[in-house]
Amino acid sequence: MEEVKTISDLAQLGAGIAIGVGATGAGLGIGIATKGLLESIARQPEIAGKAVGFFLVGAAMAEACAIYALVIALKLSGMMG
Amino acid sequence: MGQLPLRMIELKSGEMASPTNDINLTAGLAVIVLIYYVAAGIMKKKFKFFLHGFSLVAIISALVEILELFTRPLTLALRLFGNILAGEILITALLGICAWGLPLPMMFFEILVACVQALVFTMLTTVYIASAVNEEEH
């Protein structure tokens, strides 16, 4: 193990923590959204087409939170700008 | 755009990537949306767009709305930019793992992601314009 020398080494660690915690929240969100979708389709199978559309939009919204974490992580690790 | 084969068009520098891979484009789109919905609100409600009433709740909600003025375009820009950028990074990483097989299904998946993100962008734009134009009932 080489020792941590500069602040940018710690920034790499922070990037890892950022994307890890952010992805946890988004994963929970998409999981709950999928649970709701399956429950609603099981209750009313004729609504499936409409529900999937709403689910895709909601999943994209939940995923966007992980994407913010990704942008911050890229910023921290110096891969972007 | 990013789904085209990379070697099809020769560029002097850089490579073919999606235009929304650059944050300047998405930030420009978000600023257009911001100007549009603020202008729509002013044209509909004149000066009352900024003024809701005088009470403690109104002051707190005004602070929240000032915050929203910044966070709405920021999230709008970052969402589109980050999704496309994540796709490009993922395809690049898969190119390193198994260049002849893996990136192709991910490119099709990125087409789906791009369509969903375009839908989300337009839906959020309409929601913002509607919330600016609509008079809230007290």
Side-chain angles (χ1 to χ4, degrees):
Chain A
M1 291 282 284
E2 73 248 38
E3 59 184 299
V4 177
K5 284 208 177 64
T6 57
I7 200 90
S8 69
D9 291 346
L10 288 176
Q12 301 283 331
L13 182 63
I17 294 173
I19 188 62
V21 177
T24 306
L28 279 175
I30 295 178
I32 293 171
T34 312
K35 170 176 170 285
L37 174 74
L38 288 180
E39 278 178 357
S40 71
I41 288 181
R43 200 170 296 147
Q44 285 178 295
E46 68 273 9
I47 213 170
K50 229 172 162 183
V52 166
F54 282 118
F55 165 74
L56 277 180
V57 173
M61 297 285 236
E63 200 183 66
C65 293
I67 297 292
Y68 302 151
L70 176 71
V71 171
I72 296 298
L74 287 178
K75 214 58 179 158
L76 277 176
S77 63
M79 281 173 68
M80 189 188 85
Chain B
M1 196 68 132
Q3 317 304 335
L4 287 174
L6 297 180
R7 305 283 176 195
M8 219 164 83
I9 301 172
E10 290 289 332
L11 293 180
K12 288 203 179 73
S13 63
E15 59 173 283
M16 288 287 287
S18 306
T20 45
N21 201 15
D22 192 346
I23 197 168
N24 294 311
L25 177 64
T26 57
L29 289 173
V31 166
I32 289 171
V33 170
L34 172 71
I35 291 172
Y36 194 100
Y37 83 76
V38 169
I42 291 175
M43 279 161 71
K44 182 76 189 297
K45 294 196 284 193
K46 302 288 187 270
F47 191 65
K48 281 176 71 178
F49 178 61
F50 300 106
L51 212 60
H52 293 297
F54 295 99
S55 66
L56 188 63
V57 181
I59 289 172
I60 294 172
S61 77
L63 291 178
V64 172
E65 280 187 20
I66 289 170
L67 185 65
E68 269 187 354
L69 211 61
F70 291 102
T71 56
R72 276 177 172 179
L74 187 69
T75 55
L76 211 56
L78 276 185
R79 178 178 297 121
L80 187 54
F81 162 68
N83 268 290
I84 304 297
L85 180 73
E88 300 282 344
I89 289 172
L90 194 59
I91 288 176
T92 312
L94 290 180
L95 273 174
I97 295 172
C98 176
W100 50 268
L102 275 182
L104 191 61
M106 199 46 70
M107 282 177 180
F108 284 115
F109 179 69
E110 288 306 317
I111 290 176
L112 171 71
V113 167
C115 291
V116 171
Q117 289 305 316
L119 177 66
V120 166
F121 195 95
T122 46
M123 265 186 56
L124 282 178
T125 305
T126 49
V127 165
Y128 292 163
I129 293 171
S131 75
V133 169
N134 262 2
E135 187 71 47
E136 64 263 29
E137 291 85 18
H138 289 292

